[in-house]
């Protein structure tokens, strides 16, 4: 059984704000964090950037960069911090490396029509289910509603809830425990992977509420 | 222009906890509240029950009961506090009475499969859009995520957000203002009616989270 106090976690893509926010916080918590990218040089550049953030926070530099395939092979948990349009082709490519491992989907398929954002329903029901249909992995759906820009700043506090779903109960439990280790996040089991569209679709809703009410960095709490 | 400080509000069906919670609070705020039911006698019985609650809270009895058709004719705003399976046939029946008026849809189509609840996607996209396709009314979608049982108790406080959507901007604004008059509720414009499924589907998600985490009365806040 994996020890949720020290895990090898890969941020695939790892370039967006969610990737930064998770990488830095998991590294500070003592996990082994790997940033993956399509090209090794880009991954190493990213790792250096993240290590500079760690140093600026008075922490030891300890994040390494690897090509996505090597990052996925080495990690116990791989988080798909990749724009959803590119996530599925990346998944095809990483299928062998991710076999039977825990894969986290924060993917939210959405589109803008007129002046509103809409959740894009996929034939599989959700992005997480599509990922699961491609991979032979233990897919857990999480982190969709975290306001990523604020999450990538490290001098601000927040209190956000994270709805987590998945069909592999042990994998889901590990992701919930990891999430609860992060100050200000509180994770809840929301059921099987098939409920993922109900979580993913909160993200375009939050964006619409922010745009129309001139608000920023809205997350969600269940109270 | 309607005066949102004194409106005629009908709770159609009005029998569930959401109906009670809204009826009592709107009455106390000074609005004219009508409880509608299919049969006049049942509506009057309900009104008496609600008036007894008002009296127990030290308030004046002032809610009246009418058959749904008369309630809809008399009211400026009709709220469909009816189980979603029956709401659409009721809407057909009330089409004339509700013509061009404000109609509020708190409807959430959902079903249980296995041990989880799922949002039921309707061909129109959402329950609110289906209601709008039947009626020639100004349909506003709201109140889906209010934990109704707690909302029907009047000695407890809460802080819940209400996402509101609709295509008639004036109607939506009135519903937002009315909602913000209720202590503990905060309403947000979430966009056109077409985003309603993203709001409605939060309700089965909340139920799943409650069931799996042994929690009660979970609403939502955007923070």
């Amino acid at each position: 059984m994996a020890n949720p106090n020290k895990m090898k976690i890969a941020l695939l893509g790892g370039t967006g704000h969610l990737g930064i926010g998770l990488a830095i916080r998991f590294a500070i918590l003592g996990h082994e964090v790997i940033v993956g990218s399509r090209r090794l040089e880009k991954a190493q550049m990213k790792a250096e950037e993240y290590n500079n953030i760690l140093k600026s926070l008075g922490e030891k530099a300890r994040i390494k960069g690897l090509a996505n395939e090597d990052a996925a092979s080495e990690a116990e948990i791989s988080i798909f911090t990749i724009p959803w349009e590119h996530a599925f082709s990346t998944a095809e490519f990483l299928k062998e490396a991710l076999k039977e491992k825990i894969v986290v989907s924060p993917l939210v398929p959405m589109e803008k029509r007129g002046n509103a954002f809409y959740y894009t329903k996929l034939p599989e029901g959700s992005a997480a289910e599509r990922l699961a249909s491609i991979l032979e992995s233990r897919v857990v759906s999480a982190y969709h509603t975290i306001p990523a820009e604020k999450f990538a700043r490290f001098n601000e506090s927040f209190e956000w809830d994270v709805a987590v779903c998945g069909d592999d109960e042990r994998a889901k439990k590990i992701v919930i425990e990891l999430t609860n280790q992060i100050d200000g996040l509180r994770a809840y089991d929301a059921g099987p992977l098939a409920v993922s569209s109900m979580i993913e679709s909160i993200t375009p809703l939050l964006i619409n509420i922010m745009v129309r009410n001139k608000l920023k960095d809205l997350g969600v709490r269940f109270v």
Side-chain angles (χ1 to χ4, degrees), chain A:
Chain A
M1 174 77 186
N3 169 11
N5 291 318
K6 185 160 176 49
M7 299 205 74
K8 290 187 190 177
I9 304 171
L11 285 308
L12 302 181
T15 48
H17 289 111
L18 181 64
I20 296 180
L22 290 173
I24 302 294
R25 288 186 178 82
F26 283 139
I28 293 175
L29 283 164
H31 299 291
E32 194 176 323
V33 173
I34 308 162
V35 181
S37 193
R38 258 161 48 181
R39 291 184 302 113
L40 173 63
E41 308 80 67
K42 190 161 177 210
Q44 289 174 330
M45 219 175 65
K46 277 282 143 193
E48 198 184 322
E49 184 191 323
Y50 291 8
N51 283 323
N52 285 334
I53 297 175
L54 282 173
K55 282 185 238 166
S56 77
L57 296 169
E59 297 280 335
K60 202 176 71 189
R62 63 192 106 179
I63 294 176
K64 72 176 169 188
L66 291 176
N68 273 334
E69 207 174 356
D70 296 324
S73 294
E74 201 166 303
E76 297 163 282
I77 299 188
S78 290
I79 306 175
F80 265 65
T81 46
I82 299 174
W84 76 273
E85 298 92 335
H86 308 132
F88 306 118
S89 57
T90 305
E92 303 271 8
F93 176 68
L94 297 177
K95 186 169 174 171
E96 271 311 301
L98 292 171
K99 206 166 185 169
E100 287 167 27
K101 294 191 173 182
I102 300 174
V103 165
V104 179
S105 171
L107 304 172
V108 177
M110 60 176 151
E111 59 203 308
K112 195 180 180 195
R113 293 197 301 276
N115 58 0
F117 287 84
Y118 295 88
Y119 179 62
T120 306
K121 196 103 180 173
L122 303 178
E124 294 83 359
S126 64
E129 286 162 279
R130 181 172 217 163
L131 208 58
S133 77
I134 296 168
L135 296 169
E136 293 168 20
S137 306
R138 305 152 72 194
V139 174
V140 176
S141 194
Y143 304 135
H144 317 81
T145 59
I146 294 179
E149 284 189 38
K150 182 165 175 177
F151 192 59
R153 297 192 294 263
F154 299 94
N155 53 350
E156 296 181 35
S157 66
F158 47 78
E159 281 192 70
W160 295 317
D161 289 344
V162 175
V164 181
C165 70
D167 293 332
D168 184 305
E169 295 296 331
R170 270 177 57 196
K172 181 163 57 177
K173 203 173 163 214
I174 289 170
V175 173
I176 288 172
E177 285 187 37
L178 278 177
T179 306
N180 283 332
Q181 290 170 11
I182 295 176
D183 246 11
L185 296 187
R186 185 173 58 174
Y188 285 118
D189 181 359
L193 203 65
V195 309
S196 192
S197 67
M198 284 149 34
I199 306 172
E200 295 175 16
S201 63
I202 297 174
T203 303
L205 176 68
L206 288 171
I207 296 173
N208 290 329
I209 291 175
M210 284 191 274
V211 170
R212 289 180 167 258
N213 299 274
K214 297 188 175 50
L215 297 166
K216 286 190 87 171
D217 302 319
L218 276 197
V220 76
R221 271 178 70 85
F222 307 113
V223 289

